[in-house]
C-alpha cells in the first residue's frame, strides 16, 4: 500500500475551511489537502497520498542520497569495494 | 534471486480457467475491458454461439472474399465518457477506431456504417456536435459514411450517445496481416509514444479529474500502413493497441501465434506526462489505451526500412523498436526492465483501476 | 517526475547492486513490509538482480491482502443496500469475499464507485443527501490520516450521511507477530517508508532490539529498495540490529505530528484480524467513541457476518513467509488471478499473484535472444 | 361531402417545417420511431455533418463499388424490449434486420459484423441465449458473422443488451433497387400479412401485456428476393417495412421518387389478431412494425409473374397486390378505404402510442 | 372482432348511404360530438361518401383537444418533479402546453409513463411507495368511471402516494354551449354512444326540445355512424327533433347505474374551461371533498399557472364549427401536426389535423387511375 | 374519445377485493375490471374502455340492427326507397 508521490506546490488556497493546494507532479496537476502540512509553502515538494500531503520532501536530503549512490560506484571503482575490504572476503568485481 | 531449480514444478497443462464464468453470473465492467474477461466472453459465449472460420481468426478486422475481391471488415461500438475530451471526441474515435482496425489488415477504409443509440433527453445540439466531429474525422481519413441508423432508448437506459461503426476496405494483393503470422525473429515496432489517449480521457473523467497537457493521439493510420506496406507487403502483424493498451495487444499476438514476445521497457516511448499520471494513479502505461498508434511485427530483414518509412510519416514520427519475437515462453510477453530484470506482462484481467498501493 | 525518476536510474541501481553483491557473504531472508515495495520489486525485476544469497519475502503490508474476510463481507453487504453509495479505492473491488467481490455487487445493482481520495467520497455525500455514502477505510498508517481527516471534516461540516467502514492496520504489531511465529525465517525488515513519513521511527527501536533484527526504513523507488536492502544486508553481515533510515528525504524521526494528533483523536487502537494470519493484538484502528456515529458497521448493524475462508487457501502462511505460494495445492489450478481463492492472488503485489506470473516463465532472467542482438535495437 | 371547390387554396409552397428542431432541444423517443422526427434528424443533423453521395441515396442499405464489385452495405442497432418475445429475440432481429436491408438492394448477405453493448449486471446466461439465437438466425439466413465487438457500460447506462449489426453482400449485375426508381404505373406488392412483429412485441411489453396467439414474422428475406429477381432483375423498389410499418415505407418511397401511391385498404393483408389488438389500443396496423415482410414496386408488365414467384416462396406465400404508383399527389400515399372513401396515409410523426379516443 | 367487423361491412354501408342519399333533399350541418367518431369518419373516408348536402362538423368531444391549457401546464409542472411518476393515456403526450409537451418533459428527465388503464397507474403506485404517482384524469363521461373507480380503490386500499390530476368534462353542457353560440350552424347531433352507455339518455330530451335539434345516440363503427346520420337526417327532413338511440346494442336509456353512483360519490360537477372555447358552467367534474386528498392539484399546489395560448390559434372557433381550419392564418404554415399550435392539430381526429391531411390531396375521392384497372388487382 | 371495444368474458375472479374478468377480443385477451357490471356472466359480451367493462352488449339488439341494415337495401330494391316515397320528393335511384 501507500502509493505516494512527490509533487511541487503551485498554489495554496482555503476551501470549505480546509487548506488546499494545487500540486504539480511533473506536468500532472491535482488538488491536494494541506491540513497535515499547514506550513508547506509554494515551491516546496511534498509526499502526496490519496489527495493528502503527508510529509515535506527534503530536497537537500534527496540530493545527498543521490550523491551517496554516485559515490558508491566511484569509491568502488577507485578504491575497490569498501565492504568487501571491511568484511575481508574477496569477491569478483563485475564489469559494467 | 529465488532459486528456481529447487522449486517443485507445478503442472501447467490445465491452467485454463477451470470453471468458466463461475464467478460471473452477471456481466461486470471488466468484460468490456479488452483483457482476459473480454477474451473469455468471446471464447466461452460468442464463439460457440455464432463463431465461424472468419471470426475465429480474431484479428482487428476480418478478411473476407466477396466477388473475387479481398475485403477487410470490422466493427466497434464506442461508449467513451465524456463525449468530448482533450484531442478528440466519440465522433473521432468512431471513425478512427474502425478505420484503424481495417488498416491493421492492410486495407484502406473505403466506407463506414454508423449507428447512433441516443438516450432520450440528450441535447440535439450535442448530437449535432458529435455528428460533425464524426464527419470531419471521416473526411480527414478519406472514408465515406455510406449508411446509418438511429435508435432512441428511454432516459436512464442509455448514456447520451453510443456509437457503432463498421467499415469495409480493400486488402491489397499479397498482403496477409494476421496475429497468427508473428514468428520468432520478428522485430516489434511501435509507431510512437503510448498512453496518450487513455490519460487524456482519464484527465477529464468525472471524479478523477486532473490537469495535464496531454491530447488524445486519436488519428487515422491508413496512410502510415500504406507507407509501411510500400516497403514490403510481407509485414506479419499489425495491431492498434486500444483498450487494454500495448500489453493486451502483445499478449493477444503472442497467444494467437504461439510465440514469446520480449520487449525492452526502456525502448518503449512513454511520454513523461503519461508516466507521471500513471505513477499517481498506480497504473501501468503498458495497459493504457491508444487510438492513433500501431504495433508491428516485422521480419527482421525489413525492420530497418520499415522503421525508416514509419518515421517519415507524420503518424509514425516517434516510431521505435521495442522488442522482438522469440521461441521461448510461447504465448507470453516478457519485459526487460530498465534495471535489467524481467517481468511478465500479463493480459490484464479486467479494466485498469487506480491503485493505492 | 522529479524525485521519482532520479531514484530509478539504472546506472546507480547497478552500483547499489554491485555494493550489495560485494557485501553479502551468506543467505539472508529479508521481508519488505509494504505491498507498494513488493510492487516495485516485481515491476522492475529487482529480486532477479539480487545476489542469490538475498531472499525477499513479501510481507503483509498490502491492505488488499490482509483486510479480513469479515470486513470484506460486511463491505459487500453494505454496498448491496439500495440506499448506499459505496466508495472505495480501486484495489479493493476485486478482493474476494466469501461469495463474491465488489465488482459483482456492482453487477447486481449496487452503487459501488472507485474514488481517488476519501475526500471524493465526502463530496459525493454532500451531493447526494438522500443517499448513505460509505467509504471503505482500509490501509496502513499512511492511509489512516486521510481517512481520519475525512471523518473529522464530515463531523465538522455536519455531513451525517457519510460513514467509514474501518479496517485500518498498524505495521509494528504485525512485525512483532511475524517475529513471534515459531517458524519465522525473517532476518531483517525493510520498513514501509510512507508509514514512517506519518508515524516517524519511534516505534521500531524496541522491536529491533527485542528480536535482534535490523529494521531499515525504506522508500519505494528501485534505488530506495536497493538502498534499503544494502543497509539491511550490511547490518546483518556486521551482526547489527538497529533502526536505520534509508529514506531520509521523506521520513523524519518524529513523523508528522499533526497527522498523529488527528489519528489519536479520530481513532483508537484495537485488536484486529489479519486475513489468513489471525488476530494480532492492538494491530488495528477503529473510530474512537467521539466518532462512533460515523462508523458504518455501527450505522448498518452488520455485526453478525459469518465468513468462510476457502480451506484450501494457505495465504496466511504465505504472508508470514512460511510457505512459498507454489507449495499451496490450489496454486495455479483452482486459484488464479482470474479466479483468486485468496487475497494474495488478487493484486500483482500479492505474493501468490507474483509467483503465478513468474513461475510460468521458463528462464525469467535470461531471454534466449538478448535484445541487444537485434539488428535495429 | 364538403365542397372542395369553394375552399380558398392555401399556399403549400413552404410547407416544410418552418423551424427545424424548434420544439426539440433534446432528443425524444419519436426521434427513433422511424417517422417524421427520425427523418428530420437525418436531414438536419446527420446529413449535413457526414452525409455523402452514398448516404444521400437513403435506401435500406447503401450500394457501393469496391474493387470493381458492387456491394450492399447496411447497419442497424437493435434495442428491442423485451429481449425475447413470441417468435423471436433481439438476436434474430439483429441478423434478419440487416440481412433484409441488404436484400432490399437485391444483395444476398454474405458477412455480418456484430457489436454488443452490455449493461453491467446483465446475466451472462442471458447474453449467451441472445448470442445463440443470433448464431442460429445467421445459420438460417446463410450469413457468417465475421467480426465482432463487446463493450460494457455501467449499470443504469444501458438496458441489458443492445446489439448492432452491419452487413455486406454482393449486388447481382443488372439489379438497381432504389426508392427513387418507383414510377407511376408500378404495382405495389406486399409479401404477406402485416403487423405481426409489432403486435407480438407489444403483447409482452411491460405494462401493456395482453394475451394473443401471434408470433413475430421475423425472417430472412434474401431467398424471397432472389426468387423475385429470377423473374426479372428490373424490379424498381424493395423495402422492408420495419419501424413505422408499411405506412412509413410507402411514404419514404413516395417522397424519394416524387410519385403518388394509392393503396386499396381492403387488399392489405391484416391478420384478425393484429386488427383486433390495434382496435383495442387505438393503433393503425399500417404503422405497426414488420420484420419478415417486404413491399415491392414492380413494373406493371412483370407484376403477375413476380406475385406468382413470391407466392411460391414460403416467406411470400401471403403476398398480395395492395396498390399502385400514380402521377397524382406526388410524395403522398393515399388509401382507398373499404367503404370506397379515401384517406391520406401520412408519415407518422413519432412513435405510435395507444389512444383512448 | 365480433360486433366490430359486422359494423364495418361495405355492402351494408352502401345501403345506408343509398338510404341517406334517397332521404336528403337539402343541406344539413350535423355535428358528431365525439373524437372517436371523428376518427372513424376520417379513417374510412365517410365524409367523402355522403351526399354533398350532409356536412359534418367535428365536435369538441376529443379530450386531447379540449383539455385546457392551464391543466396541461399543471401536468407538465407536476411531471417535471423528481419524485413524481406521471402516468397518462398515450394521446396526451404530444399535446402542447404553453412551452412544451409531456414528451419534452420526459426528454428533460421527467418520469412520464404511458399506461393502458388507470389501474396500471395505481399498480405503479403500489410498487413504488417512495414515489408520488399521478394519473392524468382527462376524458368524458366514458373515462370518468374508470378513473373514479381507481381513486376509490386507492382510498379503500390506503394507497396514499397516488393522486389524480382531474380534468373531466361532460357532454350535455357542451351541446348547450354550442347551441347558444350566436353563429351556431349545427342542426343535429350525433351523440357520443359510449358516453351514453354510462350516462344513459336522460340528459338529452330537454336539450333536443329546448334547441329544437335532433340528438341521435350514435356508435363508433362506420355503419353506426351512417345509421346515426341516417336517423338524424330523417328527423331533419321530417322536421322532428327527438332523442333517438341508434346504438341500442350498447346503450340503455338508464345507462350504467353502478357507474353513475360511483361518479356521484367520487366527483362533483364544477365549471370547467374548454381549451379554445372558454368556461362552460357545470361542464366538468372535480374530485368531491371526500376524495380531495387524492387531488394532484391540491397535493402539488399548482394553483397559479400562467398560461398563454398562441394568439394565432383559432381552435375555439374551429371546435364550435364556426371556422374551417384552413381559414386560420396559421394553418399549414406555422401550425402543422409536426409543430402544432393548437390541440386540434395534434391528433388525427382533431379538425385541423384532419384538414391538414386532406387539403394536401388534390382530388381525394377519385384517384386518377382507379385500382380496379390494375391488371393484377 | 371513448375508444371502447366489445369483448367476451372468458373467466371471472376476485382480485384485491375487485371483480376482474379475462376478456377475449377476437383472439386478444386482456384483464378487465367488472366492478361496474357485477352480474356480467362468462360468455356474455361487454363494451370495454381503458380496462373497465362499462355496459353489457345486447347481442339480440345487435342482430336486429344488422337485420335492419340488410332490409334497408332489400326494401329499397324491392319496393323503392321508403323515405323517398314518404318525403314525396323523387330522386334518382343509384345502381350498385
Ligand atoms: S495460491 Fe491461492 S489458495 Fe494458495 S495461498 Fe495463494 S491465494 Fe491462497
Ligand atoms: S390550424 Fe393550428 S393554429 Fe389554426 S386553429 Fe387549427 S390548431 Fe389552431
Ligand atoms: Mg484494434
Ligand atoms: Mg474491430
Ligand atoms: Mg478497435
Ligand atoms: Mg435503420
Ligand atoms: Mg443516464
Ligand atoms: Mg429497412
Ligand atoms: Mg439499415
Ligand atoms: Mg433496417
Ligand atoms: Mg472491438
Ligand atoms: Mg436499467
Amino acid at each position: 500500500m501507500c502509493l505516494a508521490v512527490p509533487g511541487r506546490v503551485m498554489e495554496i488556497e482555503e476551501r470549505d475551511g480546509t487548506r488546499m493546494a494545487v500540486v504539480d507532479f511533473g506536468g500532472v496537476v491535482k488538488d491536494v489537502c494541506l491540513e497535515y502540512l499547514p506550513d508547506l509553502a509554494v515551491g516546496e515538494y511534498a509526499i502526496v497520498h490519496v489527495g493528502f500531503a503527508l510529509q515535506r520532501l527534503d530536497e537537500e536530503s534527496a540530493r545527498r542520497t543521490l550523491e551517496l549512490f554516485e559515490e558508491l560506484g566511484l569509491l568502488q571503482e577507485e578504491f575497490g569495494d569498501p565492504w568487501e575490504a571491511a568484511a575481508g572476503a574477496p569477491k569478483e568485481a563485475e564489469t559494467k | 534471486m529465488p532459486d528456481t531449480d529447487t522449486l517443485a514444478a507445478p503442472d501447467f497443462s490445465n491452467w485454463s480457467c477451470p470453471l468458466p464464468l463461475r464467478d460471473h453470473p452477471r456481466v461486470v465492467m471488466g468484460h468490456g475491458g479488452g483483457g482476459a474477461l473480454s477474451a473469455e466472453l468471446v471464447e466461452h459465449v460468442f464463439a460457440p454461439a455464432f463463431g465461424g472460420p472468419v471470426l475465429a481468426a480474431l484479428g482487428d478486422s476480418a478478411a473476407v472474399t466477396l466477388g473475387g475481391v479481398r475485403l477487410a471488415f470490422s466493427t466497434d461500438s464506442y461508449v467513451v465518457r465524456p463525449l468530448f475530451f482533450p484531442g478528440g471526441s466519440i465522433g473521432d474515435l468512431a471513425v478512427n477506431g474502425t478505420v484503424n482496425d481495417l488498416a491493421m489488415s492492410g486495407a484502406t477504409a473505403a466506407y463506414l456504417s454508423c449507428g447512433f443509440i441516443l438516450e432520450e433527453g440528450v441535447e440535439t445540439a450535442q448530437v449535432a456536435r458529435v455528428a460533425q466531429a464524426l464527419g470531419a474525422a471521416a473526411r480527414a481519413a478519406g472514408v465515406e459514411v455510406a449508411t446509418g441508423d438511429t435508435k432512441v432508448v428511454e432516459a436512464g437506459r442509455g448514456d447520451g450517445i453510443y456509437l457503432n461503426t463498421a467499415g469495409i476496405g480493400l486488402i491489397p494483393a499479397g498482403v496477409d496481416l494476421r496475429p497468427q503470422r508473428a514468428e520468432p525473429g520478428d522485430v516489434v515496432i511501435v509507431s510512437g509514444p503510448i498512453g496518450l489517449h487513455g490519460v487524456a480521457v482519464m484527465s477529464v473523467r468525472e471524479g478523477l479529474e486532473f490537469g495535464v497537457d496531454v491530447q488524445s493521439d486519436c488519428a487515422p493510420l491508413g496512410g502510415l500502413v500504406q507507407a509501411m506496406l510500400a516497403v514490403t507487403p510481407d509485414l506479419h502483424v499489425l495491431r492498434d493497441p486500444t483498450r487494454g493498451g500495448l500489453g493486451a495487444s502483445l499478449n493477444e499476438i503472442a497467444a494467437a501465434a504461439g510465440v514469446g514476445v520480449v520487449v525492452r521497457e526502456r525502448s518503449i516511448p512513454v511520454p513523461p506526462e503519461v508516466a507521471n499520471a500513471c505513477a499517481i494513479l498506480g497504473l501501468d502505461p503498458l495497459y493504457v489505451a491508444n487510438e492513433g498508434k500501431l504495433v508491428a511485427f516485422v521480419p527482421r530483414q525489413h525492420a530497418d526500412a520499415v522503421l525508416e518509412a514509419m518515421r517519415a510519416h507524420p503518424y509514425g514520427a516517434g516510431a521505435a523498436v521495442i522488442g522482438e519475437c522469440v521461441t521461448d515462453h510461447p504465448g507470453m510477453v516478457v519485459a526487460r526492465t530498465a534495471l535489467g530484470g524481467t517481468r511478465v506482462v500479463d493480459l490484464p484481467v479486467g479494466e485498469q483501476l487506480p491503485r493505492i498501493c | 517526475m522529479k524525485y521519482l525518476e532520479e531514484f530509478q536510474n539504472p546506472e546507480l541501481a547497478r552500483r547499489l547492486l554491485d555494493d550489495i553483491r560485494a557485501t553479502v557473504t551468506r543467505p539472508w531472508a529479508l521481508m519488505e513490509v509494504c505491498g507498494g515495495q513488493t510492487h516495485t520489486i516485481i515491476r522492475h525485476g529487482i529480486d532477479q538482480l539480487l545476489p542469490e544469497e538475498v531472499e525477499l519475502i513479501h510481507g503483509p503490508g498490502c491492505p488488499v491482502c490482509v483486510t479480513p474476510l469479515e470486513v470484506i463481507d460486511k463491505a459487500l453487504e453494505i454496498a448491496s443496500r439500495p440506499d448506499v453509495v459505496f466508495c472505495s479505492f480501486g484495489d479493493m473491488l476485486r478482493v474476494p469475499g466469501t461469495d463474491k467481490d465488489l465488482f459483482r455487487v456492482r453487477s447486481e445493482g449496487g452503487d459501488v464507485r472507485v474514488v481517488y481520495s476519501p475526500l471524493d467520497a465526502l463530496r459525493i455525500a454532500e451531493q447526494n443527501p438522500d443517499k448513505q455514502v460509505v467509504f471503505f477505510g482500509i490501509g496502513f498508517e499512511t492511509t489512516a490520516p486521510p481517512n481520519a481527516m475525512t471523518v473529522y471534516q464530515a463531523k465538522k461540516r455536519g455531513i451525517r450521511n457519510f460513514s467509514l467502514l474501518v479496517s485500518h492496520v498498524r505495521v509494528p504489531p504485525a512485525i512483532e507477530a511475524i517475529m513471534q511465529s515459531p517458524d519465522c525465517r525473517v532476518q531483517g525488515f525493510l520498513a514501509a517508508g510512507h508509514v514512517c513519513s506519518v508515524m516517524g521511527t519511534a516505534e521500531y527501536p524496541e522491536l529491533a532490539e527485542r528480536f535482534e533484527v535490523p529494521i531499515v526504513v525504506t522508500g519505494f523507488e528501485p534505488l530506495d529498495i536497493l538502498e534499503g536492502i544494502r543497509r539491511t544486508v550490511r547490518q546483518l553481515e556486521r551482526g547489527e540490529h538497529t533502526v536505520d533510515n534509508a529514506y531520509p528525504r521523506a521520513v523524519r524521526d518524529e513523523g508528522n505530528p499533526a497527522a498523529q494528533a488527528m489519528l489519536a483523536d479520530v481513532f483508537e487502537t484495537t485488536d484486529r484480524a489479519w486475513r489468513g494470519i489471525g488476530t494480532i493484538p492492538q494491530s488495528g484502528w477503529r473510530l474512537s467513541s467521539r466518532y462512533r456515529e460515523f462508523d458504518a458497521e455501527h450505522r448498518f448493524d452488520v455485526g453478525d457476518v459469518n465468513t468462510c475462508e476457502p480451506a484450501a487457501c494457505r495465504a496466511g502462511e504465505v504472508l508470514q513467509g512460511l510457505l512459498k505460494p507454489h507449495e499451496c495445492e490450489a496454486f495455479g489450478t483452482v486459484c488464479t488471478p482470474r479466479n483468486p481463492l485468496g487475497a494474495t492472488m488478487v493484486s500483482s503485489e500479492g505474493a501468490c499473484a507474483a509467483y503465478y506470473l513468474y513461475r510460468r516463465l521458463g528462464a525469467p532472467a535470461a531471454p534466449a535472444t538478448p535484445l541487444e542482438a537485434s539488428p535495429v535495437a
Side-chain angles (χ1 to χ4, degrees), chain A, chain B, chain C:
Chain A
M1 63 158 308
C2 320
L3 179 84
V5 283
R8 187 164 171 275
V9 175
M10 312 288 286
E11 290 169 32
I12 295 176
E13 60 167 34
E14 209 78 8
R15 201 183 307 157
D16 288 338
T18 305
R19 195 168 170 81
M20 299 293 292
V22 177
V23 175
D24 174 61
F25 304 91
V28 180
V29 172
K30 273 201 81 75
D31 287 350
V32 165
C33 175
L34 286 196
E35 285 289 309
Y36 287 134
L37 287 178
D39 53 354
L40 200 68
V42 168
E44 287 191 298
Y45 280 83
I47 300 289
V48 175
H49 174 64
V50 300
F52 286 77
L54 290 182
Q55 188 54 274
R56 176 178 278 103
L57 186 136
D58 182 343
E59 296 190 71
E60 175 56 23
S61 166
R63 199 188 49 71
R64 277 204 308 274
T65 299
L66 288 168
E67 270 173 22
L68 168 70
F69 296 165
E70 299 271 1
E71 281 163 19
L72 266 187
L74 294 179
L75 283 171
Q76 201 169 331
E77 275 165 32
E78 284 170 30
F79 309 108
D81 188 279
W83 312 125
E84 193 177 317
K91 288 192 69 172
E92 276 181 43
E94 295 202 21
T95 50
K96 259 181 263 185
Chain B
M1 91 196 67
D3 184 354
T4 58
D5 295 339
T6 64
L7 299 178
D11 175 17
F12 301 131
S13 57
N14 61 348
W15 269 34
S16 79
C17 175
L19 291 168
L21 305 178
R22 164 184 79 167
D23 279 348
H24 294 284
R26 292 175 185 274
V27 166
V28 296
M29 292 305 294
H31 282 115
L37 288 175
S38 299
E40 209 167 89
L41 205 57
V42 172
E43 188 187 339
H44 294 294
V45 177
F46 294 146
F50 56 73
V54 182
L55 191 75
L58 281 176
D60 273 308
S61 58
V64 300
T65 302
L66 209 49
V69 165
R70 283 179 70 229
L71 296 173
F73 183 29
S74 182
T75 193
D76 268 301
S77 300
Y78 300 87
V79 300
V80 66
R81 294 308 91 158
L83 295 172
F84 289 81
F85 46 80
S89 73
I90 192 173
D92 299 276
L93 287 187
V95 169
N96 292 326
T98 295
V99 160
N100 291 350
D101 277 349
L102 297 177
M104 298 308 114
S105 292
T108 303
Y111 296 101
L112 290 185
S113 69
C114 178
F116 281 77
I117 298 182
L118 304 178
E119 184 188 12
E120 181 187 26
V122 63
E123 290 177 11
T124 31
Q126 182 83 320
V127 177
R129 278 191 295 272
V130 166
Q132 279 152 18
L134 188 145
R139 287 186 291 276
V143 67
E144 183 175 350
V145 180
T147 184
D149 176 57
T150 313
K151 294 291 185 301
V152 178
V153 296
E154 285 179 16
R157 297 179 189 273
D159 194 19
I161 302 174
Y162 295 138
L163 288 181
N164 175 284
T165 54
I168 50 176
L170 277 179
I171 301 176
V175 171
D176 180 20
L177 292 160
R178 281 178 293 128
Q180 291 80 358
R181 288 196 68 215
E183 58 184 54
D186 281 359
V187 173
V188 180
I189 305 177
V190 73
S191 64
I194 66 165
L196 292 164
H197 175 72
V199 167
V201 170
M202 278 188 275
S203 76
V204 289
R205 188 158 287 169
E206 205 190 328
L208 204 63
E209 296 90 342
F210 52 87
V212 65
D213 192 14
V214 161
Q215 306 269 305
S216 167
D217 59 344
C218 188
L221 297 177
L224 175 63
V225 170
Q226 295 317 310
M228 294 166 71
L229 289 171
V231 174
T232 171
D234 189 32
L235 306 177
H236 286 169
V237 189
L238 296 182
R239 194 115 184 161
D240 60 334
T242 54
R243 274 186 303 176
L246 192 56
S249 287
L250 294 174
N251 268 282
E252 284 157 11
I253 295 165
V259 297
V261 173
V262 177
V263 293
R264 194 172 48 186
E265 208 161 21
R266 230 187 327 179
S267 306
I268 299 171
V270 180
E273 291 84 358
V274 170
N276 291 341
C278 285
I280 292 171
L281 299 172
L283 303 179
D284 187 333
L286 280 177
Y287 298 125
V288 176
N290 311 276
E291 288 292 345
K293 294 298 171 325
L294 62 82
V295 58
F297 281 58
V298 180
R300 189 163 291 253
Q301 68 272 24
H302 299 303
D304 285 335
V306 168
L307 187 66
E308 198 180 319
M310 290 174 77
R311 287 181 172 162
H313 190 280
Y315 292 138
V321 169
I322 59 166
E324 64 187 335
C325 221
V326 298
T327 48
D328 281 334
H329 49 79
M332 290 186 70
V333 179
V334 169
R336 292 293 298 268
T337 71
L339 300 190
T342 60
R343 65 180 175 111
V344 175
V345 178
D346 210 22
L347 190 63
V349 171
E351 42 163 13
Q352 288 273 290
L353 295 172
R355 291 184 308 118
I356 58 156
C357 74
Chain C
M1 203 183 303
K2 194 152 156 65
Y3 302 117
L4 219 60
E5 274 150 40
E6 298 93 318
F7 291 87
Q8 298 172 356
N9 183 313
E11 170 54 27
L12 296 182
R14 200 199 53 74
R15 294 186 189 187
L16 282 156
L17 279 163
D18 285 349
D19 193 82
I20 293 165
R21 251 185 235 109
T23 306
V24 74
T25 62
R26 49 196 163 117
W28 298 112
L30 276 48
M31 176 175 275
E32 85 275 4
V33 167
C34 179
Q37 292 167 330
T38 309
H39 185 78
T40 302
I41 289 163
I42 292 170
R43 177 84 179 62
H44 295 271
I46 289 171
D47 53 339
Q48 302 155 8
L49 300 169
L50 290 169
E52 62 182 24
E53 290 88 349
V54 180
E55 180 191 353
L56 292 177
I57 297 172
H58 305 319
C62 166
V64 170
C65 302
V66 302
T67 300
L69 189 56
E70 301 89 81
V71 176
I72 304 286
D73 283 351
K74 286 175 185 174
L76 297 171
E77 190 179 319
I78 294 171
S80 299
R81 302 200 181 193
D83 58 329
V84 163
V85 179
F86 193 87
C87 299
S88 170
F89 297 128
D91 318 45
M92 298 304 292
L93 268 65
R94 254 194 287 272
V95 183
T98 299
D99 293 324
K100 50 190 170 187
D101 60 22
L102 284 167
F103 267 117
R104 175 123 160 231
V105 169
R106 263 185 76 127
S107 79
E108 291 168 359
D111 190 347
V112 178
R113 305 191 194 174
V114 172
V115 295
Y116 167 75
S117 163
L119 291 178
D120 297 333
L122 192 62
R123 199 187 52 235
I124 291 170
E126 283 187 291
Q127 289 165 353
N128 296 275
D130 55 328
K131 292 281 184 184
Q132 282 291 333
V133 176
V134 181
F135 184 71
F136 200 175
I138 53 100
F140 282 79
E141 293 94 327
T142 320
T143 316
N147 293 347
M149 176 65 76
T150 305
V151 171
Y152 171 83
Q153 295 265 354
K155 185 172 183 180
K156 187 172 117 187
R157 286 150 64 188
I159 304 170
R160 311 244 158 247
N161 63 323
F162 178 85
S163 60
L164 199 66
L165 178 63
V166 190
S167 184
H168 282 302
V169 280
R170 298 172 56 236
V171 165
I175 289 181
E176 189 173 354
I178 287 162
M179 289 312 296
Q180 281 171 341
S181 163
D183 304 312
C184 176
R185 297 172 50 236
V186 179
Q187 296 166 293
F189 285 96
L190 311 185
H194 293 143
V195 164
C196 298
S197 294
V198 170
M199 302 305 292
T201 56
E203 298 173 288
Y204 297 101
E206 188 272 327
L207 291 169
E209 192 52 48
R210 172 143 58 103
F211 298 110
E212 300 188 344
V213 65
I215 301 179
V216 177
V217 175
T218 302
F220 294 79
E221 296 313 305
L223 300 195
D224 293 319
I225 304 277
L226 288 171
E227 175 68 353
I229 294 169
R230 190 178 75 94
R231 295 204 190 190
T232 311
V233 168
R234 186 170 54 175
Q235 282 201 43
L236 288 168
E237 290 285 343
R238 286 178 173 174
E240 298 172 357
H241 48 265
T242 63
V243 173
D244 187 13
N245 183 1
Y247 193 33
R249 69 183 183 281
V251 175
R252 281 156 215 26
D253 281 349
E254 71 278 17
N256 182 323
Q260 290 165 24
M262 181 64 79
L263 288 171
D265 176 41
V266 174
F267 294 130
E268 62 195 23
T269 57
T270 179
D271 297 350
R272 173 76 70 205
W274 295 52
R275 186 165 194 172
I277 298 178
T279 298
I280 303 177
Q282 295 302 303
S283 68
W285 273 313
R286 64 174 175 215
L287 286 164
S288 67
S289 54
R290 290 177 293 284
Y291 295 88
R292 193 62 35 93
E293 60 174 315
F294 293 95
D295 189 337
E297 286 193 61
H298 184 249
R299 187 171 297 182
F300 296 97
D301 191 24
V302 282
D304 288 341
V305 170
N306 274 320
T307 60
C308 170
E309 193 82 62
C313 181
R314 302 179 64 185
E317 292 156 85
V318 170
L319 281 171
Q320 295 170 79
L322 304 179
L323 190 82
K324 297 269 183 210
H326 68 281
E327 293 164 4
C328 165
E329 288 259 330
F331 177 82
T333 54
V334 295
C335 180
T336 67
R338 172 64 190 76
N339 280 313
L341 276 192
T344 44
M345 190 57 99
V346 172
S347 68
S348 55
E349 53 267 39
C352 295
Y355 264 69
Y356 178 80
L357 284 179
Y358 281 99
R359 292 310 136 207
R360 286 194 297 168
L361 195 59
T369 319
L371 276 171
E372 286 65 18
S374 167
V376 290

